[in-house]
């Protein structure tokens, strides 16, 4: 009975890690778009370049936080798997 609970928990956490991977991908795309704003934004309006810099900072911070969540989640899954064995 306990073993099945651990297996269910591992499956749930793997599902959540996959969600985090999607969020990380989206943040990387967002940071790429921010880089485009930084590079070409000043030719349109100087404020666009400032907005691009702010978005870049926010997206890189989000990537770091999500990456930390992925690392901790993988470590947690490994600990649960060791408990099962």
């Amino acid at each position: 009975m306990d073993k099945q609970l651990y297996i269910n928990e591992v499956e749930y956490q793997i599902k959540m890690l996959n969600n985090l991977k999607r969020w990380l991908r989206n943040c990387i795309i967002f940071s790429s778009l921010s880089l485009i704003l930084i590079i070409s934004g000043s030719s349109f309006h100087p404020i666009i370049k400032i907005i691009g810099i702010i978005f870049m900072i926010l997206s890189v911070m989000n990537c770091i936080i999500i990456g930390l969540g992925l690392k901790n989640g993988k470590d947690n899954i490994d600990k649960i798997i060791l408990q099962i064995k």
Side-chain angles (χ1 to χ4, degrees), residues 32-53:
S32 300
L33 294 174
S34 300
L35 182 63
I36 292 171
L37 284 178
I38 292 170
I39 292 172
S40 64
S42 60
S43 63
F44 297 109
H45 200 281
I47 292 179
I48 294 176
K49 185 174 183 176
I50 295 170
I51 291 170
I53 292 170

Side-chain angles (χ1 to χ4, degrees), residues 46-85:
I47 292 179
I48 294 176
K49 185 174 183 176
I50 295 170
I51 291 170
I53 292 170
I54 292 170
F55 285 159
M56 176 65 82
I57 292 169
L58 291 174
S59 61
V60 169
M61 287 174 40
N62 284 334
C63 286
I64 292 170
I65 292 169
I66 292 170
L68 182 63
L70 279 168
K71 179 191 169 297
N72 289 339
K74 288 177 185 176
D75 291 344
N76 195 26
I77 288 174
D78 291 340
K79 289 177 187 176
I80 293 173
I81 290 173
L82 286 176
Q83 286 282 343
I84 293 173
K85 292 179 181 179

Side-chain angles (χ1 to χ4, degrees), residues 10-37:
V10 167
E11 289 172 350
Y12 177 75
Q13 288 194 16
I14 289 173
K15 179 182 172 187
M16 292 299 112
L17 282 178
N18 289 333
N19 287 341
L20 280 177
K21 288 177 186 176
R22 279 188 290 250
W23 278 99
L24 182 62
R25 183 197 64 220
N26 292 339
C27 284
I28 291 171
I29 291 170
F30 193 68
S31 69
S32 300
L33 294 174
S34 300
L35 182 63
I36 292 171
L37 284 178

